[in-house]
Amino acid sequence: MSDDNAHDDPQDAIDSQGERRREELDDRIFEHSAGDEQEGIPFVGAGPGNPRLLTVAGKELLEEADLVVHAGSLVNSELLDEYCAHAELVNSVGKDLEELIPLMRDAYDNGDNVVRLHSGDPAIYGAALEQMDALEHEGVPTHFVPGVTSAFAASATLRTQLTLNEVSNHVAFTRPQGKTLTAEEDHISEFVEMGDVTTCIYLGTHAVRDTMDRLLEADHDPETPVAVIYHASWPDEDVIIGDIGTIADKVEEAGYRASALVVIGDAVTGAGYERSFLYGDWANRGASENADENASKPEASDD
């Protein structure tokens, strides 16, 4: 084991790495793409819940791991049983950086294959970068391995797209005001006001009533569709469909206070979209132009 006192405080390491980011880009940005095999500790997205939604890269890394530091109950235990039964498992819930960083660093320095397993995709509300910066500052290389985020599992469950022609041109991943977000930083009302945005609210199940009340106070259409997908892709998945005016009552009746994704916008139902240009006249234009051009050329001769 390394002497923890010989290493920097995680906050100091994060601050130092932040300064480096301002001054220069990491060379690895130009050397590796997502999915490449890389040295160091991978920060793997476990996906939304169903073990089958784990990526091939994530599966391979977990099967080779000696130590898996995982996000507790946010990661389906079936996934841990199927791919991590051979490894030492450490639940990160309740542990701070001062405990997690030395744990992963020392295991890596001792030659173990270490995997940091986040729920969903670690790039979305995963607090991954602070761990990675702290490890990198101590000489431990890290990299991202993307995962399927819950918004994509939710759209699959709803059998719709998050973007639809003439319905939703944009997608917003956001969260409501609370302990970590001030009222001024909460832009949910602005996203909904745009009209052609599908707003996906993470970490906001407990605040559905407050969020909908604020949208009503801002004079948003109470019949705007809203879906709440509890445990998207898990065996106990539940889907609640309503609108801004009714969804809070339905969620409270179901008793959910966490682990659900809230989706606001007309894409929830998938109604009213227009045919895209992708498989229409726009797509056929190039083929038609080529056909006309070829028709004007003299036939080739075998002579």
Side-chain angles (χ1 to χ4, degrees), residues 143-167:
H143 60 279
F144 281 106
V145 178
V148 177
T149 187
S150 58
F152 299 155
S155 68
T157 288
L158 292 172
R159 308 181 77 83
T160 186
Q161 294 180 202
L162 297 178
T163 60
L164 284 167
N165 193 35
E166 300 299 326
V167 171

Side-chain angles (χ1 to χ4, degrees), residues 51 75-86 89:
V75 175
N76 193 334
S77 60
E78 292 182 8
L79 185 150
L80 297 176
D81 292 341
E82 186 167 351
Y83 300 121
C84 310
H86 60 286
L89 299 178

Side-chain angles (χ1 to χ4, degrees), residues 153-195:
S155 68
T157 288
L158 292 172
R159 308 181 77 83
T160 186
Q161 294 180 202
L162 297 178
T163 60
L164 284 167
N165 193 35
E166 300 299 326
V167 171
S168 175
N169 294 310
H170 316 280
V171 180
F173 291 169
T174 187
R175 62 189 299 182
Q177 64 186 48
K179 292 182 179 179
T180 59
L181 203 70
T182 67
E184 291 72 25
E185 294 170 324
D186 181 329
H187 300 295
I188 293 173
S189 181
E190 296 168 46
F191 294 140
V192 174
E193 185 177 0
M194 293 179 186

Side-chain angles (χ1 to χ4, degrees), residues 1 62 65-73 75 80 84 87-96 99-104 107 112 114-118 131:
M1 283 281 184
L62 288 174
D66 301 302
L67 170 65
V68 176
V69 181
H70 63 90
S73 61
V75 175
L80 297 176
C84 310
E88 178 185 355
L89 299 178
V90 174
N91 185 341
S92 65
V93 175
K95 295 179 173 60
D96 56 24
E99 186 174 357
L100 288 173
I101 299 307
L103 170 71
M104 292 188 285
D112 289 341
V114 181
V115 172
R116 179 65 169 104
L117 187 63
H118 277 252
Q131 301 170 68

